[in-house]
Amino acid sequence: MLKQQLNLKLSQKLSPQQIQLMKLIQLPTQAFEQRIKEELEENPALEDGKLESEDEYEEEFSNTDDDDNDNETIETEIDVDEYLSDDEIPSYRLQANNYSADDEEKSVPYASGTSFTQYLKTQLSTLRFSENEQEIADFLVGSIDESGYLRRELQDVVDDLAFTQNVYTDEETVEGVLKKVQALDPAGVGARSLQECLLLQLDRREPTKAVQLAIDMLERSFDLFSKKHYTKLLSRHDISEDELREAIEVIEHLNPKPGGSYSGNTRIIEHVIPDFTIKIVDGDLELTLNGRNAPQMHVSRDYSDMLKGYKESKEKTKDQKDAVMFIKQKLDSAKWFIEAIKQRQQTLMVTMSSIMNYQKEYFLTGDERNLRPMILKDIADEIGMDVSTVSRVANSKYVDTPYGTKLIKEFFSESMKNDQGEDVSTREIKKILEMSIEEENKKKPLTDEKLAKVLKDKGYPIARRTVAKYREQLDIPVARLRKEI
């Protein structure tokens, strides 16, 4: 039996130039500037700055094709998935560390600072230890993490001291040294748990009635306190609501991460500087592109003069032909790069302009409830480009608005139906959920079920489990943990 079968396979192929253009579009401003710098270093036929008479040059350059060269340029087609992997682009090339063309390029000085560990060791030098205790103290300080905690069992410390330092000791001795380490600044350092950290800080406070009650609660009822079972705390400690409130206020002013103010002091802070700016001018929106995304570039006049000289020479040697092929290759590459920069600039502006107009009500008011449901395809269809192109702009670019600097992809969200059958943004629903929680009675915070009813009454019929999902995405705790006395 003869069986005919027709298989159709759709394969997307892009030229190397198209692939490089997509990568240029994906780069935020500073990485784009670095890419230009690399191209200028690699291609001597490319120069920055504006040419005095570009029209004259373009005419001249367009007539420099050598009749003797019949070589055909063949564009090799390449599998798009293989070449568009994000893994090809180092993460540092994708960080939006940008600045406008008008800014002066300045290096920001950073103080060298003292590391948290070194800060503690400096304090150790003021205490008296035996030689054995000094080694234990140094080891303990070196084991304290950046939050200020000792996250290891003392028996593990004893074993490590024996194996790595040839210091043989026991838990009791180590605990004695740890008590001295815990007397260092900041208060709470060297604690093995949050409970111990808070108690160490309270021990240094003036023993007022509220402080003593706070200590008693943390020692005897830490679990009840952490879960905010206030009624049980009132009963167990036989205290009034005012007394409980005062004790809680004392605890809330303690530092749960005593090492936090010292850790990371050698890190360089990333400052996000936007790729676009949106301003409200006379009641309308005005979009501008960061000036450094539109550099002035031109092809080298010297290289075009070399071609002109070759064309006018009567005798053309093989070496001259090889040289002119190299020159033409560099000139073609320079012209393509300049064109790619223009295409990138146009793509960024068209895409962001479409997003701005789509979310016009939000940009005019700053109210997230005015954000329309918007997916990548909405913008791609409007500007006649591929979804992947819009994604490359949205995922790596920032825009400065009257309401702060925003990552563009934050304006995209799925839609849900309200009680009138209209599409509303999930961002809008989250904002209303957040506002409902802010307005709740903190003595009787709303459960997810009650929040679902509140949203339904406001015209957003969503299930309790959806409320729970949105609440978690907003990093808001459950009702019991939002309760205040």
Side-chain angles (χ1 to χ4, degrees), residues 148-185:
Y149 285 81
L150 179 66
R151 308 278 188 183
R152 313 187 61 202
E153 296 293 333
L154 292 189
Q155 185 56 55
D156 293 337
V157 174
V158 171
D159 293 341
D160 281 353
L161 281 166
F163 287 125
T164 64
Q165 310 294 320
N166 288 326
V167 174
Y168 298 93
T169 184
D170 53 42
E171 281 191 55
E172 185 178 352
T173 304
V174 171
E175 184 145 20
V177 175
L178 178 59
K179 293 296 181 188
K180 294 183 179 180
V181 170
Q182 289 175 342
L184 303 177
D185 287 329

Side-chain angles (χ1 to χ4, degrees), residues 24-36 91-106 108 269-277 288-294 344 348 392-400 405-408:
L24 282 179
I25 291 171
Q26 182 164 315
L27 296 177
T29 307
Q30 185 166 353
F32 175 61
E33 287 185 306
Q34 180 62 30
R35 175 71 180 85
I36 289 175
S91 60
Y92 71 86
R93 295 284 299 276
L94 300 177
Q95 295 177 12
N97 232 14
N98 316 319
Y99 36 90
S100 73
D102 299 327
D103 291 341
E104 289 184 40
E105 192 169 342
K106 297 177 181 178
V108 181
I269 301 170
E270 292 288 349
H271 296 284
V272 174
I273 299 179
D275 304 81
F276 304 92
T277 298
T288 55
L289 180 67
N290 185 316
R292 302 210 175 198
N293 284 294
R344 176 184 184 272
L348 294 185
R392 281 175 169 78
V393 175
N395 287 333
S396 59
K397 307 290 187 299
Y398 287 82
V399 57
D400 181 29
T405 300
K406 311 283 186 182
L407 182 61
I408 294 170

